[in-house]
Amino acid sequence: VIQAVFFGICVLTDLSSLLTRGNDSQEQERQLKKLISLRDWVMAVLAFPVGVFVVTMFWSIYIYDRELVYPKLLDNFIPAWLNHGMHTTVLPFVLIEMRTTHHQYPSRSCGLAAVCTFAVGYILWVCWIHHITGVWVYPLLEHLSPGVKIIFFAAVTVIINIFYLVGEVLNNYIWDTQK
């Protein structure tokens, strides 16, 4: 969903840029700058770190023991192409976007705070679903003791923050914008 929303914003930004090109409207220019800022923020804080996290974590755990993240039973309902659409294609598309479009990252402290907020919010959502249904969204969590779950959730938050920093460094490297 994050990737779909992000790339929807990218298309909207590109269309808006094309439609306002050559226009002298200050208001349209101001609105376009807001849209570009939103696109850049979503890329920096969500699309890149979450996208890289999903691909690396999903396939790492899948290779170790697929039943922990994607039980074989799901093959009956979710075709392989859709699984790859959710867990593979995210990475090349976000890397292509990073290479083709310069993104202005927020300040490091604001970016990391936003990534942490998302990570904690997502973890709370996963725990809430378990609380209501009695089923963990990710089967891996069934196998962890409460203390290990806390360590796992903390590690996940640290990893996604590392991916934020990797995205910032990669963006600066690609666009040669060292601060």
Side-chain angles (χ1 to χ4, degrees):
V1 172
I2 289 170
Q3 300 302 317
V5 168
F6 170 66
F7 284 110
I9 292 169
C10 289
V11 168
L12 185 60
T13 302
D14 290 345
L15 287 175
S16 297
S17 180
L18 287 172
L19 293 173
T20 60
R21 184 170 288 162
N23 230 343
D24 289 335
S25 170
Q26 296 285 51
E27 180 59 24
Q28 286 181 342
E29 186 67 28
R30 195 173 66 76
Q31 294 300 326
L32 180 59
K33 284 183 181 180
K34 283 183 183 179
L35 195 55
I36 290 169
S37 292
L38 174 64
R39 178 203 64 195
D40 290 350
W41 187 89
V42 172
M43 172 65 169
V45 171
L46 296 173
F48 186 86
V50 173
V52 174
F53 177 82
V54 165
V55 172
T56 56
M57 287 296 286
F58 178 84
W59 288 110
S60 297
I61 296 170
Y62 186 96
I63 289 167
Y64 173 73
D65 181 358
R66 77 169 284 175
E67 294 296 317
L68 295 175
V69 287
Y70 194 79
K72 204 162 186 60
L73 171 71
L74 291 178
D75 291 342
N76 297 325
F77 308 102
I78 301 173
W81 66 266
L82 185 55
N83 180 28
H84 283 290
M86 293 184 297
H87 299 112
T88 307
T89 60
V90 170
L91 184 59
F93 287 138
V94 82
L95 289 173
I96 290 167
E97 170 64 21
M98 183 172 276
R99 179 62 186 101
T100 59
T101 306
H102 176 257
H103 295 278
Q104 186 67 44
Y105 268 61
S107 71
R108 186 167 287 169
S109 58
C110 288
L112 290 172
V115 170
C116 281
T117 300
F118 172 80
V120 170
Y122 189 79
I123 289 165
L124 291 173
W125 178 76
V126 166
C127 292
W128 178 254
I129 290 172
H130 176 262
H131 175 72
I132 297 298
T133 67
V135 177
W136 285 105
V137 176
Y138 303 105
L140 165 71
L141 297 172
E142 293 173 18
H143 302 285
L144 304 179
S145 68
V148 173
K149 275 187 192 84
I150 291 169
I151 294 167
F152 177 76
F153 290 146
V156 161
T157 303
V158 168
I159 291 168
I160 202 165
N161 276 277
I162 290 170
F163 286 141
Y164 170 84
L165 295 171
V166 167
E168 181 183 47
V169 168
L170 185 58
N171 184 65
N172 288 340
Y173 174 77
I174 290 170
W175 296 99
D176 196 23
T177 56
Q178 294 297 327
K179 293 182 179 176

PDB file of all heavy atoms in Angstrom, residues 111-122:
ATOM      1  N   GLY A 111      13.613  12.918  10.055  1.00  0.00           N
ATOM      2  CA  GLY A 111      13.427  11.695   9.286  1.00  0.00           C
ATOM      3  C   GLY A 111      13.447  10.455  10.162  1.00  0.00           C
ATOM      4  O   GLY A 111      12.576   9.587  10.050  1.00  0.00           O
ATOM      5  N   LEU A 112      14.424  10.385  11.054  1.00  0.00           N
ATOM      6  CA  LEU A 112      14.510   9.225  11.945  1.00  0.00           C
ATOM      7  C   LEU A 112      13.328   9.173  12.912  1.00  0.00           C
ATOM      8  O   LEU A 112      12.810   8.085  13.204  1.00  0.00           O
ATOM      9  CB  LEU A 112      15.837   9.238  12.703  1.00  0.00           C
ATOM     10  CG  LEU A 112      17.079   8.950  11.849  1.00  0.00           C
ATOM     11  CD1 LEU A 112      18.349   9.171  12.660  1.00  0.00           C
ATOM     12  CD2 LEU A 112      17.046   7.539  11.265  1.00  0.00           C
ATOM     13  N   ALA A 113      12.886  10.330  13.378  1.00  0.00           N
ATOM     14  CA  ALA A 113      11.714  10.367  14.260  1.00  0.00           C
ATOM     15  C   ALA A 113      10.474   9.858  13.526  1.00  0.00           C
ATOM     16  O   ALA A 113       9.666   9.099  14.081  1.00  0.00           O
ATOM     17  CB  ALA A 113      11.483  11.783  14.777  1.00  0.00           C
ATOM     18  N   ALA A 114      10.328  10.244  12.267  1.00  0.00           N
ATOM     19  CA  ALA A 114       9.174   9.797  11.478  1.00  0.00           C
ATOM     20  C   ALA A 114       9.240   8.290  11.215  1.00  0.00           C
ATOM     21  O   ALA A 114       8.222   7.591  11.307  1.00  0.00           O
ATOM     22  CB  ALA A 114       9.101  10.572  10.166  1.00  0.00           C
ATOM     23  N   VAL A 115      10.430   7.787  10.895  1.00  0.00           N
ATOM     24  CA  VAL A 115      10.594   6.352  10.662  1.00  0.00           C
ATOM     25  C   VAL A 115      10.284   5.577  11.945  1.00  0.00           C
ATOM     26  O   VAL A 115       9.591   4.558  11.910  1.00  0.00           O
ATOM     27  CB  VAL A 115      12.020   6.034  10.145  1.00  0.00           C
ATOM     28  CG1 VAL A 115      12.280   4.543  10.126  1.00  0.00           C
ATOM     29  CG2 VAL A 115      12.211   6.614   8.759  1.00  0.00           C
ATOM     30  N   CYS A 116      10.785   6.052  13.080  1.00  0.00           N
ATOM     31  CA  CYS A 116      10.501   5.395  14.364  1.00  0.00           C
ATOM     32  C   CYS A 116       9.009   5.408  14.664  1.00  0.00           C
ATOM     33  O   CYS A 116       8.448   4.409  15.124  1.00  0.00           O
ATOM     34  CB  CYS A 116      11.257   6.077  15.503  1.00  0.00           C
ATOM     35  SG  CYS A 116      12.980   5.606  15.609  1.00  0.00           S
ATOM     36  N   THR A 117       8.366   6.530  14.406  1.00  0.00           N
ATOM     37  CA  THR A 117       6.924   6.639  14.644  1.00  0.00           C
ATOM     38  C   THR A 117       6.170   5.632  13.794  1.00  0.00           C
ATOM     39  O   THR A 117       5.265   4.938  14.284  1.00  0.00           O
ATOM     40  CB  THR A 117       6.434   8.073  14.347  1.00  0.00           C
ATOM     41  OG1 THR A 117       7.132   8.977  15.202  1.00  0.00           O
ATOM     42  CG2 THR A 117       4.942   8.204  14.553  1.00  0.00           C
ATOM     43  N   PHE A 118       6.547   5.533  12.521  1.00  0.00           N
ATOM     44  CA  PHE A 118       5.900   4.541  11.653  1.00  0.00           C
ATOM     45  C   PHE A 118       6.138   3.132  12.176  1.00  0.00           C
ATOM     46  O   PHE A 118       5.206   2.322  12.264  1.00  0.00           O
ATOM     47  CB  PHE A 118       6.398   4.653  10.212  1.00  0.00           C
ATOM     48  CG  PHE A 118       5.891   3.525   9.362  1.00  0.00           C
ATOM     49  CD1 PHE A 118       4.603   3.556   8.852  1.00  0.00           C
ATOM     50  CD2 PHE A 118       6.688   2.411   9.112  1.00  0.00           C
ATOM     51  CE1 PHE A 118       4.117   2.494   8.100  1.00  0.00           C
ATOM     52  CE2 PHE A 118       6.205   1.349   8.365  1.00  0.00           C
ATOM     53  CZ  PHE A 118       4.925   1.396   7.853  1.00  0.00           C
ATOM     54  N   ALA A 119       7.391   2.799  12.498  1.00  0.00           N
ATOM     55  CA  ALA A 119       7.733   1.450  12.947  1.00  0.00           C
ATOM     56  C   ALA A 119       6.963   1.079  14.213  1.00  0.00           C
ATOM     57  O   ALA A 119       6.370  -0.001  14.291  1.00  0.00           O
ATOM     58  CB  ALA A 119       9.238   1.327  13.179  1.00  0.00           C
ATOM     59  N   VAL A 120       6.956   1.983  15.177  1.00  0.00           N
ATOM     60  CA  VAL A 120       6.235   1.710  16.433  1.00  0.00           C
ATOM     61  C   VAL A 120       4.738   1.591  16.163  1.00  0.00           C
ATOM     62  O   VAL A 120       4.073   0.695  16.697  1.00  0.00           O
ATOM     63  CB  VAL A 120       6.548   2.795  17.491  1.00  0.00           C
ATOM     64  CG1 VAL A 120       5.636   2.668  18.694  1.00  0.00           C
ATOM     65  CG2 VAL A 120       8.014   2.695  17.917  1.00  0.00           C
ATOM     66  N   GLY A 121       4.209   2.458  15.327  1.00  0.00           N
ATOM     67  CA  GLY A 121       2.786   2.388  14.977  1.00  0.00           C
ATOM     68  C   GLY A 121       2.435   1.069  14.311  1.00  0.00           C
ATOM     69  O   GLY A 121       1.413   0.451  14.627  1.00  0.00           O
ATOM     70  N   TYR A 122       3.280   0.623  13.408  1.00  0.00           N
ATOM     71  CA  TYR A 122       3.028  -0.641  12.715  1.00  0.00           C
ATOM     72  C   TYR A 122       3.111  -1.819  13.689  1.00  0.00           C
ATOM     73  O   TYR A 122       2.281  -2.730  13.649  1.00  0.00           O
ATOM     74  CB  TYR A 122       4.022  -0.830  11.569  1.00  0.00           C
ATOM     75  CG  TYR A 122       3.677  -2.014  10.689  1.00  0.00           C
ATOM     76  CD1 TYR A 122       2.682  -1.902   9.721  1.00  0.00           C
ATOM     77  CD2 TYR A 122       4.328  -3.233  10.842  1.00  0.00           C
ATOM     78  CE1 TYR A 122       2.358  -2.994   8.926  1.00  0.00           C
ATOM     79  CE2 TYR A 122       4.005  -4.319  10.053  1.00  0.00           C
ATOM     80  CZ  TYR A 122       3.027  -4.200   9.096  1.00  0.00           C
ATOM     81  OH  TYR A 122       2.692  -5.272   8.314  1.00  0.00           O
TER      82      TYR A 122
END
